[in-house]
């Protein structure tokens, strides 16, 4: 691992790698800067915008409402969001929002396909889930997420509207001419789909609580971790990967891998969990190289997996 990230490559690693197993830290390395201009070195507690890893938080909050009997998964979302005037609100279900099989592209436009017939990775679907959570719980999505993180002992993880993050690093994007520029659009995505703020140690805590069955009923967690029928994500890095609720489920080479990558302007992230060995592999970067060539953007993340995965076969 050290040889990989310390190699003199054209694009140096600028981020944090955190690997734990059965609750114990196995590897930690922070290289590069939280602020390129000030040359401030990255630290373990530095916070990053985590992109689509955020969808796990939204999924659990929705399923906690399900566990309380406030939400049904196979009913039209119009039942919870009566203000929606589009006809698809009478056919799209909560389950389809969770699995990206709804076809909604914009709130004021028809769906791109008949709901339930295709998979299309979506951000707007998870924003609608957040709205449903607010309706059924009677609380703000941001406030409810804060309570959940406190329950998990996650002191450095926040919805962006909860302005209590103190160590958010600056995100950067490589331009077409190869210069690295400060990014100002990192938090413009739907929070429920891709704008939560966290750090490595908190994401490790999350994996322990989430996959350890501390947040959902046993049957609900099993449902979340089940490959959903016809929900196959054509992942830009890993190809066709089955999707559960809020996470991909990879069983290539006989290794069960749960989790998600995340990408937003200036931030490149990954959080995978291997239940057989209770291993977490978390990588957070704050320079997005090659933003138009996503496989290259995730170069270090995929190379780290190549090193780690063979060791987990057991």
């Amino acid at each position: 691992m050290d040889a990989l990230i310390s190699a003199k490559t054209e694009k140096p690693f600028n981020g944090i790698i955190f690997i734990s197993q059965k609750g114990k830290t196995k590897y930690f390395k922070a290289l590069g800067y939280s602020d390129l201009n000030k040359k401030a070195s990255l630290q373990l507690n530095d916070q990053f915008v985590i992109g689509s890893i955020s969808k796990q938080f939204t999924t659990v909050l929705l399923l906690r409402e399900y566990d309380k009997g406030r939400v049904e998964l196979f009913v039209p979302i119009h039942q919870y969001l009566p203000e929606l005037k589009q006809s698809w609100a009478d056919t799209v279900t909560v389950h389809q929002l969770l699995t990206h099989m709804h076809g909604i592209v914009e709130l004021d436009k028809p769906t791109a396909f008949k709901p339930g017939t295709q998979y299309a990775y979506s951000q707007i679907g998870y924003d609608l889930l957040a709205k449903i959570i607010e309706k059924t719980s009677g609380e703000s999505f941001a406030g409810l997420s804060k309570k959940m993180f406190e329950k998990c002992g996650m002191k450095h993880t926040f919805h962006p509207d909860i302005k209590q993050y103190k160590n958010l690093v600056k995100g950067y994007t490589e331009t077409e001419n190869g210069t690295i520029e400060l990014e100002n659009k990192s938090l413009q995505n739907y929070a429920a789909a891709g704008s939560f703020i966290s750090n490595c140690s908190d994401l490790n805590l999350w994996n322990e609580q989430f996959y350890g069955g501390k947040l959902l009923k046993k049957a609900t967690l099993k449902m979340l971790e089940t490959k959903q029928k016809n929900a196959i994500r054509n992942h830009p890095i890993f190809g066709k990967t089955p999707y559960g609720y809020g996470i991909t489920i990879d069983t290539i080479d006989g290794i069960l891998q749960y989790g998600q990558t995340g990408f937003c302007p200036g931030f490149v992230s990954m959080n995978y969990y291997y239940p057989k060995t209770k291993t977490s592999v978390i990588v957070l970067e704050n320079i997005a190289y090659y933003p138009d060539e996503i496989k290259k953007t995730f170069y270090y993340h995929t190379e780290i997996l190549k090193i780690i995965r063979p060791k987990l076969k057991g």
Side-chain angles (χ1 to χ4, degrees):
M1 194 82 68
D2 284 346
L4 168 68
I5 60 177
S6 299
K8 293 184 178 180
T9 60
E10 181 186 357
K11 310 295 182 183
F13 179 76
N14 198 97
I16 298 177
I17 303 167
F18 187 97
I19 300 171
S20 73
Q21 192 169 75
K22 296 180 180 178
K24 296 182 179 180
T25 302
K26 290 294 185 179
Y27 184 90
F28 165 72
K29 181 73 72 173
L31 283 179
Y33 303 106
S34 59
D35 186 319
L36 296 184
N37 290 332
K38 295 180 180 179
K39 300 296 182 185
S41 297
L42 282 165
Q43 305 295 325
L44 176 60
N45 284 334
D46 280 339
Q47 296 159 305
F48 296 69
V49 185
I50 60 172
S52 286
I53 295 172
S54 305
K55 292 181 175 70
Q56 297 173 38
F57 301 155
T58 304
T59 297
V60 171
L61 286 168
L62 186 284
L63 292 178
R64 284 167 69 86
E65 291 296 291
Y66 169 79
D67 278 346
K68 293 173 183 175
R70 296 172 178 167
V71 173
E72 293 295 330
L73 302 182
F74 295 93
V75 300
I77 61 175
H78 193 258
Q79 178 170 321
Y80 305 108
L81 301 175
E83 67 273 16
L84 292 175
K85 304 303 180 184
Q86 295 75 17
S87 60
W88 46 254
D90 291 319
T91 55
V92 170
T93 66
V94 175
H95 167 81
Q96 289 164 354
L97 294 182
L98 284 166
T99 56
H100 304 279
M101 297 188 69
H102 48 81
I104 302 167
V105 289
E106 292 184 31
L107 292 183
D108 59 351
K109 291 185 177 181
T111 57
F113 50 81
K114 182 180 178 181
T117 63
Q118 296 182 41
Y119 180 99
Y121 197 66
S122 166
Q123 309 300 327
I124 195 171
Y126 271 69
D127 184 57
L128 289 171
L129 288 172
K131 289 179 169 58
I132 291 171
I133 292 165
E134 290 186 326
K135 285 291 184 71
T136 60
S137 69
E139 299 184 52
S140 74
F141 179 68
L144 204 60
S145 67
K146 184 174 185 292
K147 288 182 180 179
M148 181 175 68
F149 299 142
E150 289 173 348
K151 173 181 173 63
C152 293
M154 299 163 65
K155 299 179 180 179
H156 308 283
T157 304
F158 299 98
H159 184 290
D161 289 350
I162 305 292
K163 308 290 185 180
Q164 295 180 10
Y165 45 91
K166 299 178 181 179
N167 298 304
L168 178 61
V169 305
K170 296 184 182 301
Y172 299 87
T173 298
E174 181 183 34
T175 65
E176 289 184 0
N177 62 14
T179 60
I180 305 298
E181 293 189 355
L182 180 66
E183 186 57 70
N184 60 8
K185 299 178 181 178
S186 304
L187 294 172
Q188 290 186 3
N189 194 6
Y190 297 114
S195 294
F196 273 89
I197 293 162
S198 190
N199 66 9
C200 285
S201 55
D202 266 18
L203 289 175
N204 184 57
L205 281 172
W206 170 257
N207 289 349
E208 291 176 1
Q209 295 285 313
F210 176 25
Y211 297 109
K214 303 294 178 60
L215 299 173
L216 297 170
K217 291 180 179 179
K218 186 176 181 179
T220 306
L221 179 60
K222 184 177 181 180
M223 178 173 58
L224 180 153
E225 296 173 339
T226 299
K227 298 176 182 179
Q228 297 298 319
K229 184 178 180 181
N230 298 324
I232 306 293
R233 183 182 182 188
N234 190 11
H235 198 283
I237 305 162
F238 304 113
K240 292 185 177 180
T241 308
Y243 203 82
Y245 283 166
I247 58 172
T248 57
I249 303 168
D250 191 339
T251 53
I252 294 175
D253 300 326
I255 304 169
L256 180 58
Q257 171 185 288
Y258 295 134
Q260 186 66 286
T261 55
F263 175 79
C264 64
F267 292 91
V268 189
S269 55
M270 177 176 78
N271 180 22
Y272 283 120
Y273 183 76
Y274 302 86
K276 183 176 180 180
T277 57
K278 296 182 179 179
T279 299
S280 292
V281 180
I282 301 161
V283 183
L284 303 177
E285 263 189 293
N286 61 319
I287 298 181
Y289 299 116
Y290 304 108
D292 296 325
E293 299 179 72
I294 202 71
K295 285 189 177 181
K296 288 185 177 181
T297 306
F298 279 85
Y299 167 77
Y300 285 104
H301 301 68
T302 53
E303 290 299 309
I304 288 165
L305 288 181
K306 288 178 184 178
I307 295 169
I308 293 297
R309 282 176 57 91
K311 298 178 181 179
L312 301 177
K313 287 188 174 182

